Amino acid sequence: MANVLVFHSELGLTPGLEAFADLLRDAGHTVTAPDLYDGQTFSTLEAGLEYAGEVGLETLEALGVRIAEQLPEDLVYIGFSLGVLPAQRLAQTRPGARGAVLISTCVPPGAYAYTWPAGVPLQIHAMAEDPVFVEEGDLDAAKNLVESTAAEPGGAWDGGATLDEASVKLILYPGSTHFFADISSPDYDEDYAHALTASVLQLLRGIDDGIED
């Protein structure tokens, strides 16, 4: 089974994030979901961002990296919003990554590395009209990341039947909420949260079966 490291969003290690991690555990995967907020949780993006700003985004990202360094290298990194920062950095720069899932945020190519590592499957999930994702440049960053990878062996924009045919996917859902996958958030959308979880579990099954991207 896959080893998975999940980083929480600006809201902190919410019950919704823990529920997502438990779903992956129930499927047999080993999941680590660290608390970067030292027990703090928030109900809004604004409140969470204020706290993250006080602690320092670079400090939180570095903490995520230090936590990963205590774990095996063969990790699948999953980041929700703020958690994308350490997840994407580790997937692009730490050897041994088996895959990555970026949810509601994407960092432009070049921030950590100019290319996505060959053979590492990637899913980017967001709502198509989420103003945070669209207006703050994350959608453009996601498209640029996918396009920069599509020319690599195994890369494909539209996906395929196997991980080898679809190493990178940008998946946009109808809607405009940011925390649609967190059941403890007012943003939660049951249908698309289930779709995201199913997609992640399919990815993990493929990795577990030894399919390479």
Side-chain angles (χ1 to χ4, degrees):
M1 290 300 178
N3 292 317
V4 185
L5 178 56
V6 181
F7 292 112
H8 63 70
S9 73
E10 291 88 344
L11 303 183
L13 188 59
T14 62
L17 190 285
E18 293 185 299
F20 174 82
D22 284 341
L23 286 172
L24 304 190
R25 293 185 182 107
D26 290 344
H29 304 291
T30 300
V31 182
T32 302
D35 184 353
L36 305 183
Y37 273 17
D38 195 26
Q40 298 282 340
T41 59
F42 302 91
S43 60
T44 67
L45 175 64
E46 293 75 17
L49 277 175
E50 182 178 358
Y51 178 78
E54 292 172 358
V55 176
L57 294 178
E58 291 183 358
T59 299
L60 292 168
E61 184 177 330
L63 175 58
V65 171
R66 290 198 300 273
I67 290 169
E69 289 172 346
Q70 307 305 310
L71 299 171
E73 291 184 341
D74 61 338
L75 289 169
V76 178
Y77 299 101
I78 301 179
F80 286 78
S81 196
L82 174 70
V84 165
L85 301 181
Q88 185 172 339
R89 174 177 170 178
L90 287 159
Q92 287 193 271
T93 64
R94 188 183 188 218
R98 297 297 306 280
V101 180
L102 313 180
I103 302 165
S104 296
T105 295
C106 185
V107 180
Y112 305 121
Y114 285 98
T115 59
W116 189 257
V120 178
L122 168 66
Q123 294 182 356
I124 305 171
H125 298 261
M127 284 204 153
E129 298 178 11
D130 171 13
V132 178
F133 188 75
V134 175
E135 297 173 11
E136 297 189 6
D138 298 86
L139 177 58
D140 288 339
K143 289 181 176 179
N144 289 338
L145 186 61
V146 169
E147 288 170 353
S148 71
T149 310
E152 299 296 322
W157 175 276
D158 292 323
T162 69
L163 289 178
D164 185 61
E165 295 171 350
S167 64
V168 174
K169 291 183 178 181
L170 171 61
I171 303 171
L172 298 175
Y173 305 97
S176 60
T177 59
H178 192 65
F179 300 115
F180 70 96
D182 186 332
I183 196 172
S184 57
S185 167
D187 283 359
Y188 179 67
D189 185 298
E190 181 177 6
D191 290 340
Y192 297 120
H194 287 176
L196 182 153
T197 302
S199 184
V200 172
L201 288 172
Q202 182 181 31
L203 174 69
L204 296 179
R205 284 194 298 270
I207 292 171
D208 188 45
D209 289 340
I211 301 174
E212 294 183 356
D213 298 83

